[in-house]
Amino acid sequence: MLTANASPIPLTTDNSWRTHYRASFYLGVPFIGAQLAQLAINTTDVLMVGKLGATELAAIILATQMYFTVYVFGNGFANAVVPMAAQAVGRGDKVSVRRSVRMGMWVVMLYGLLTAPILWMAEPILLFAGQQPKVAALAGEYVRIAQWAIFPGLIFMVLRAFLSGLERAGIILYVTLATLVLNAALCYVLIFGHFGFPKLGIFGAAVAALGVAVLGAALTIGYIKSKPELNQYELFVRFWRPDWVAFREVVFLGIPISLTILAEVSLFTVASLLMGTIGTVELAAHGIALQFASMAFMIPLGLAQAATVRVGLAYGRGDLLGVRRAAIASLVLGAGFAIVGSAIFAFFPSQLAALYLDTARPDAAAVLAFAAPLIVIAGAFQLVDGMQAIAAGMLRGLKDTKVPMLLAMVSYWPIGFVCAWLFAFPFNFGGIGVWFGFVLGLAAAAVLLNWRFFRMLGEITAKAAAKGA
């Protein structure tokens, strides 16, 4: 049974396939659960605010997208700490673990300060982008409250990276579930004014967002401080003391990760814009299919995080066979989950799409007819998307982020976007063409990133063999 108090798989040089599959599975499951819980938090906010009216719903969608863009870029620096900590743990170097985590917190706090003026100016930015004044005003007020969640939110992600490097993923899941429950409760009482609380509307959702971010960071810090085996890393002792080598490594590893994530996020934003130019029915169907694709993506995303840890630990202790087997185990598990998900999408597309529709409405049949084939395509989509995400995680375990960023960007935009536009418009496949194009782009990323990883590993192995000889 997975617990928060102990690593499910101890650090070991046992390279049996059974050990690697078991380790990747038990480390990946909490990450998957945490990703799904985070997705549920965002869904809860939108569902509750949506009951206030169309203006409020439009405002929170704009506000959360703006906040999420800034947050996800900063999260790249937190992700950079994962391989740094994991490799240091693999070497048995506690000092380097402490320095990487501490400088990770420095970097994300500095990032929060640098981006604060952008978020504070959310309303004029949205007005400049052509949004309705009332919607922009509500969104701006939301962001001015929620923006302070950047600091505790990213601190939590850095501490999550530390715990990930020690294969203590259970506590990450439990903390995320706790924030999910608190978010739902706070949104319920603050948005609608239940149990004697003031009815704050959309601003109540912003207060809830800040509250759960603070809770997540506080619970994680409390957990680390309560465990002697974790407290011995002294993450918060002499916190003001800089280590500029580790600081620069967090920055230079983190920027390519951030740009890669931003490139993929922006690709799907553009996909929605393309679908919107085709038609309202097509855009609605696209939104439904994208919801299922997003939920399915949480599985390979969790396995990708596990792959970063497992590869980093093995590489840190100089175990190249362990690196190879950890990578292959993650890929096989990801492919297995994707095949099961693809089968569900292929056999039950209409039933899945109907979950998001009021079938009694006159326009439901048209949306359902268009959404069903998109959900089938989403089955193939999740396989290639999963393989490229896990490959990116494996490369991060080797601290390789710059070239993977370039390979991903080429795959997403010159290949994926161009193919999507060609299939949709010149070849006249419409909305289905957009999805075909993105499948090709993600397939290219999967091939290129996996090729990069195994080529690098082959070169590292050859050098180690030559040195040994």
Side-chain angles (χ1 to χ4, degrees):
M1 179 180 176
L2 182 67
T3 68
N5 297 323
S7 171
I9 304 296
L11 296 182
T12 178
T13 55
D14 178 3
N15 278 322
S16 68
W17 284 110
R18 180 178 181 276
T19 295
H20 279 288
Y21 281 115
R22 183 169 174 262
S24 296
F25 179 81
Y26 278 103
L27 186 59
V29 165
F31 285 140
I32 294 167
Q35 294 298 141
L36 289 171
Q38 185 61 53
L39 185 64
I41 290 174
N42 298 334
T43 303
T44 300
D45 291 351
V46 174
L47 287 175
M48 289 196 183
V49 171
K51 295 182 181 299
L52 299 175
T55 301
E56 288 80 1
L57 178 59
I60 196 169
I61 289 173
L62 286 175
T64 52
Q65 284 182 342
M66 187 172 186
Y67 173 85
F68 179 73
T69 301
V70 174
Y71 176 83
V72 80
F73 194 92
N75 197 27
F77 300 112
N79 285 337
V81 176
V82 178
M84 293 173 66
Q87 288 192 20
V89 170
R91 296 191 304 269
D93 184 356
K94 291 182 179 180
V95 173
S96 291
V97 173
R98 176 172 65 250
R99 289 174 176 173
S100 63
V101 176
R102 184 182 292 167
M103 290 302 99
M105 288 189 279
W106 273 44
V107 170
V108 297
M109 287 192 294
L110 178 60
Y111 174 81
L113 290 173
L114 292 175
T115 55
I118 297 173
L119 294 173
W120 190 260
M121 298 293 291
E123 182 181 353
I125 291 172
L126 291 172
L127 287 172
F128 180 77
Q131 302 303 311
Q132 294 294 322
K134 188 174 181 180
V135 173
L138 282 173
E141 290 298 322
Y142 176 97
V143 174
R144 285 192 177 188
I145 299 170
Q147 75 173 85
W148 303 109
I150 285 282
F151 296 95
L154 291 179
I155 290 292
F156 166 70
M157 294 305 297
V158 173
L159 296 177
R160 168 177 165 158
F162 164 67
L163 293 167
S164 299
L166 296 172
E167 293 188 289
R168 288 176 176 258
I171 186 61
I172 296 169
L173 173 59
Y174 303 148
V175 169
T176 308
L177 289 174
T179 58
L180 170 61
V181 173
L182 178 66
N183 181 72
L186 286 178
C187 283
Y188 183 72
V189 300
L190 294 178
I191 292 174
F192 304 114
H194 292 300
F195 302 111
F197 284 85
K199 184 178 179 180
L200 299 178
I202 191 174
F203 312 117
V207 173
L210 178 57
V212 298
V214 171
L215 176 69
L219 287 176
T220 309
I221 292 171
Y223 173 78
I224 292 170
K225 297 288 286 183
S226 70
K227 301 296 177 184
E229 67 273 20
L230 299 178
N231 207 28
Q232 66 180 333
Y233 284 92
E234 299 182 328
L235 299 181
F236 307 102
V237 176
R238 295 182 294 279
F239 185 79
W240 60 87
R241 180 175 294 177
D243 185 300
W244 299 117
V245 173
F247 184 93
R248 284 192 294 271
E249 187 172 13
V250 171
V251 172
F252 289 124
L253 281 177
I255 287 176
I257 296 174
S258 297
L259 290 173
T260 302
I261 296 171
L262 190 62
E264 187 169 10
V265 170
S266 61
L267 181 67
F268 289 103
T269 301
V270 170
S272 297
L273 295 175
L274 284 178
M275 297 296 283
T277 65
I278 296 170
T280 303
V281 169
E282 289 81 358
L283 179 58
H286 167 77
I288 292 171
L290 196 58
Q291 282 293 314
F292 287 107
S294 298
M295 285 187 283
F297 182 64
M298 296 302 103
I299 295 174
L301 184 58
L303 291 172
Q305 293 166 345
T308 301
V309 175
R310 296 288 299 159
V311 168
L313 287 169
Y315 189 72
R317 63 176 179 259
D319 179 11
L320 297 182
L321 176 61
V323 171
R324 181 178 297 275
R325 292 199 169 183
I328 292 173
S330 298
L331 287 170
V332 171
L333 286 172
F337 279 115
I339 289 170
V340 173
S342 297
I344 294 172
F345 285 10
F347 289 124
F348 307 104
S350 297
Q351 293 87 336
L352 292 171
L355 295 175
Y356 280 84
L357 293 169
D358 179 359
T359 53
R361 290 179 60 87
D363 58 352
V367 175
L368 186 62
F370 201 87
L374 292 186
I375 291 174
V376 174
I377 298 172
F381 182 93
Q382 67 171 300
L383 177 61
V384 294
D385 199 14
M387 293 301 95
Q388 67 96 21
I390 292 172
M394 288 151 39
L395 286 163
R396 288 169 193 167
L398 299 178
K399 295 185 180 180
D400 183 36
T401 60
K402 293 180 182 177
V403 172
M405 173 193 70
L406 296 175
L407 294 177
M409 285 186 168
V410 168
S411 300
Y412 297 158
W413 286 95
I415 297 176
F417 174 74
V418 171
C419 287
W421 183 82
L422 286 172
F423 279 123
F425 300 107
F427 297 161
N428 205 30
F429 283 98
I432 291 176
V434 173
W435 278 71
F436 275 138
F438 288 153
V439 168
L440 291 176
L442 292 169
V447 171
L448 291 172
L449 293 174
N450 276 285
W451 168 80
R452 167 75 177 175
F453 176 83
F454 286 105
R455 180 186 176 188
M456 278 190 67
L457 183 56
E459 292 175 350
I460 293 169
T461 303
K463 288 179 182 178
K467 186 179 294 185

